[in-house]
Amino acid sequence: MALLKILRYPDPRLHKIAKPVTEFGTERLRKLVADMADTMYDAPGVGLAATQVDVHERVIVIDVSETHDQLIVFINPEITWASEDKQVYDEGCLSVPGIYDGVERPAKVKVRAYDVEGKEFTVDADGLLAVCIQHEMDHLMGKVFVEYLSPLKRNRIKAKLQKEERGMEREAARAGGRR
Ligand code: K1U
Ligand code: ZN
């Protein structure tokens, strides 16, 4: 089991655009997916995009089940249909820890994607799965959910997380000095 470091907003690497996966069924892709799933379950979260672990390829893992045993791996996902009706969901993000806020998105989506072996599949999603797929696909396009919020809220969130980051860096430097 390998846990990957999750980038924290406002890290500029969260705004990189991910490239499509071109080689399927490789050990490298299998390991990336396994490590991403371990990282998501450990966090804990219900989704994770490769962008968040500084890998800029179109790979997403999601498990919205209560039993944490229904992992879905989406490689090169594309939304082929989105409903006219919208829903507002209080979203969270492992890259924006401790912040939850309402985002309006299409309530239902159809997604086409590939599994690790390169086999195509489609998913009809609603509820949290639909929210999570759209949130993770935004990550692959370099977009973080706070960009849907007002500039005032976004700047407050940015300042809070930057302050926390400075505190963590100071603590790490102190711990290093004690060694
Ligand atoms: O960082 C991420 O992209 C994952 C994110 C996914 C998400 C959740 C809710 C709405 C939209 C997108 C999370 O998993 S945040 C953590 C979270 O929702 C959660 C944590 C523990 C138990 C259950 C949920
Ligand atoms: Zn996120």
Side-chain angles (χ1 to χ4, degrees):
M1 167 166 171
L3 297 182
L4 306 171
K5 185 173 180 287
I6 298 176
L7 300 177
R8 285 168 62 103
Y9 184 79
D11 191 310
R13 290 171 290 182
L14 285 169
H15 302 302
K16 286 191 180 183
I17 296 179
K19 294 199 167 69
V21 169
T22 53
E23 284 189 87
F24 292 87
T26 61
E27 264 320 297
R28 181 188 165 272
L29 185 60
R30 257 189 265 277
K31 180 165 167 41
L32 172 65
V33 164
D35 291 349
M36 284 176 62
D38 288 343
T39 305
M40 175 190 75
Y41 287 122
D42 179 76
V46 292
L48 191 71
T51 308
Q52 293 176 275
V53 294
D54 203 18
V55 175
H56 302 281
E57 294 174 38
R58 293 183 61 81
V59 178
I60 287 170
V61 294
I62 293 179
D63 187 347
V64 294
S65 71
E66 283 180 10
T67 43
H68 311 299
D69 61 355
Q70 286 169 43
L71 181 72
I72 314 176
V73 178
F74 295 88
I75 299 176
N76 297 347
E78 299 293 343
I79 292 179
T80 57
W81 174 84
S83 64
E84 293 280 316
D85 55 315
K86 311 273 194 239
Q87 65 178 339
V88 177
Y89 194 95
D90 240 3
E91 297 193 14
C93 182
L94 300 174
S95 296
V96 193
I99 307 290
Y100 287 81
D101 213 324
V103 176
E104 184 182 81
R105 299 182 188 271
K108 294 179 187 160
V109 289
K110 270 187 206 295
V111 186
R112 185 186 61 227
Y114 298 84
D115 68 13
V116 176
E117 302 307 324
K119 190 172 182 299
E120 188 180 310
F121 66 96
T122 58
V123 170
D124 287 325
D126 60 10
L128 177 57
L129 181 58
V131 172
C132 203
I133 288 170
Q134 293 174 80
H135 175 114
E136 303 309 336
M137 286 185 66
D138 273 353
H139 275 305
L140 299 182
M141 295 306 293
K143 186 163 183 172
V144 180
F145 88 99
V146 295
E147 289 167 53
Y148 289 100
L149 308 179
S150 69
L152 178 69
K153 275 190 181 177
R154 192 163 58 245
N155 286 333
R156 280 188 182 154
I157 292 166
K158 201 183 274 185
K160 179 175 185 281
L161 293 180
Q162 281 171 330
K163 191 173 169 203
E164 282 174 16
E165 189 75 32
R166 285 195 296 273
M168 289 188 305
E169 281 166 7
R170 264 196 304 275
E171 185 47 44
R174 262 202 298 272
R178 282 200 295 269
R179 257 189 253 124

